[in-house]
Amino acid sequence: LRDELTVPGGVAARIALPPSAMSDSLIVTEGGERVRAYRLATAETGQTTVTWDALQADGPREIALEYLVAGAGWTPRYDLDVLAEDRVRLGFDAEIHNQALDLSDVDVRLVAGMPGAEPGYQPAMTMTQMNVAYNIAQPPAAVSGPVAINHVYDIGSQTLRRGETVRWNLLYADLEARR
């Protein structure tokens, strides 16, 4: 998530994070500059706050907080219909699960990646997939390490209520196939 707000200049900022925020993923910027030193404190109630000294002494300060939230994620869903010997119809949907908090008019971007994958890596296909699609080389034996972002799907402005699962179609196309 990305929260943007304006606070007065010259004073220490103290901002409460949502309960589902993963504070170890927090990035704080002030006036477009990354805040390098801040404190996180968790009260007995479980409420976590972030505080830091002002980078900008005078005037209003533009603050942005970026963090991951537990309970929000997405799963790709595929539907493949064989239309003919050489044609298939592929449906590709994003199923978004939101157990975190109500989100109103937020810009949704879905990131697809694989830990430890090298650029250009493509996973192996199952035998069933090979019957109607292309054979792709086998992956390395093990994958671990940093995430390689393979694609970002920009869904646009959406409203997602807590406890809601929604599905967006990303692709619906008739494609050429071969054995």
Side-chain angles (χ1 to χ4, degrees), residues 2-80:
R2 180 180 170 93
D3 292 325
E4 296 176 346
L5 57 144
T6 303
V7 297
V11 296
R14 182 173 185 261
I15 300 170
L17 298 175
S20 59
M22 299 170 77
S23 58
D24 58 344
S25 69
L26 181 64
I27 297 172
V28 181
T29 58
E30 179 179 324
E33 298 286 326
R34 186 155 182 183
V35 174
R36 298 287 176 193
Y38 57 83
R39 292 183 183 268
L40 292 170
T42 304
E44 288 181 21
T45 61
Q47 179 71 62
T48 300
T49 57
V50 58
T51 58
W52 69 95
D53 292 327
L55 297 180
Q56 180 180 327
D58 297 323
R61 297 159 43 202
E62 300 300 319
I63 306 295
L65 303 172
E66 294 182 48
Y67 49 87
L68 298 174
V69 291
W74 76 285
T75 304
R77 298 289 182 206
Y78 303 95
D79 185 21
L80 183 68

